[in-house]
Structure formats: C-alpha cells, structure tokens
C-alpha cells in the first residue's frame, strides 16, 4: 500500500493541474540551469543529451524533451 500511495502522489504532482505549483518549484530551477549551461542554438552541430536518473513517472524528462533536448530517463 505504501508503494501504491507513493506512485499515486507522484502521478498527481507530475501530471495533474493540482500538482503544478509543487512541480514548478521542483523542476523550473533545473530547467532554467539546463537552458543556461546547455543552450540550444544553431551553432551546435548536435543536440545536447541529458540523462535524468531516478526519473520517476517521467515528467522532467518529458519537459526537457519538449524544450528540444535529447533525453534519457
């Protein structure tokens, strides 16, 4: 039951409108620093690749992919 509860809480935080505030507090600083230190621009010949260890239900990896990065969760 504990594991099920944990997964359900993660799903709510990462994928629902109810979890947006907590999600933004956790993931926005990470995304901001990635954009700062690994910018996407036309001068690059390859797309930066990012590994998201412990990616849980995959929201951070999804968001980084949506920004244009090559991501492995």
């Amino acid at each position: 039951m504990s594991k099920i509860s944990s997964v359900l809480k993660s799903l709510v935080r990462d994928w629902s409108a109810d979890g947006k505030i907590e999600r933004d507090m956790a993931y926005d600083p990470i995304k901001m620093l990635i954009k700062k230190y690994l910018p996407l621009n036309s001068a690059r010949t390859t797309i930066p690749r990012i590994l998201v260890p412990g990616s849980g239900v995959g929201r951070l990896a999804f968001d980084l992919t949506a920004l244009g990065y090559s991501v492995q969760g």
Side-chain angles (χ1 to χ4, degrees), residues 9-25:
K9 286 178 185 177
S10 292
L11 286 169
V12 169
R13 181 195 64 230
D14 281 6
W15 294 101
S16 76
D18 292 336
K20 182 171 177 17
I21 294 170
E22 184 178 351
R23 182 171 61 243
D24 289 348
M25 287 189 318

Side-chain angles (χ1 to χ4, degrees), residues 1-4 6 12 22 24-27 29 33 36-37 40 42-45 60 65-66 72:
M1 288 306 286
S2 173
K3 184 66 173 174
I4 292 170
S6 176
V12 169
E22 184 178 351
D24 289 348
M25 287 189 318
Y27 297 154
L33 289 172
K36 177 180 178 181
Y37 291 106
L40 294 170
S42 59
R44 283 188 180 271
T45 57
L60 181 59
T65 300
Q72 176 71 44

Side-chain angles (χ1 to χ4, degrees), residues 34 36-49 69:
I34 287 173
K36 177 180 178 181
Y37 291 106
L38 286 173
L40 294 170
N41 57 40
S42 59
R44 283 188 180 271
T45 57
T46 60
I47 297 172
R49 296 177 355 171
Y69 294 94

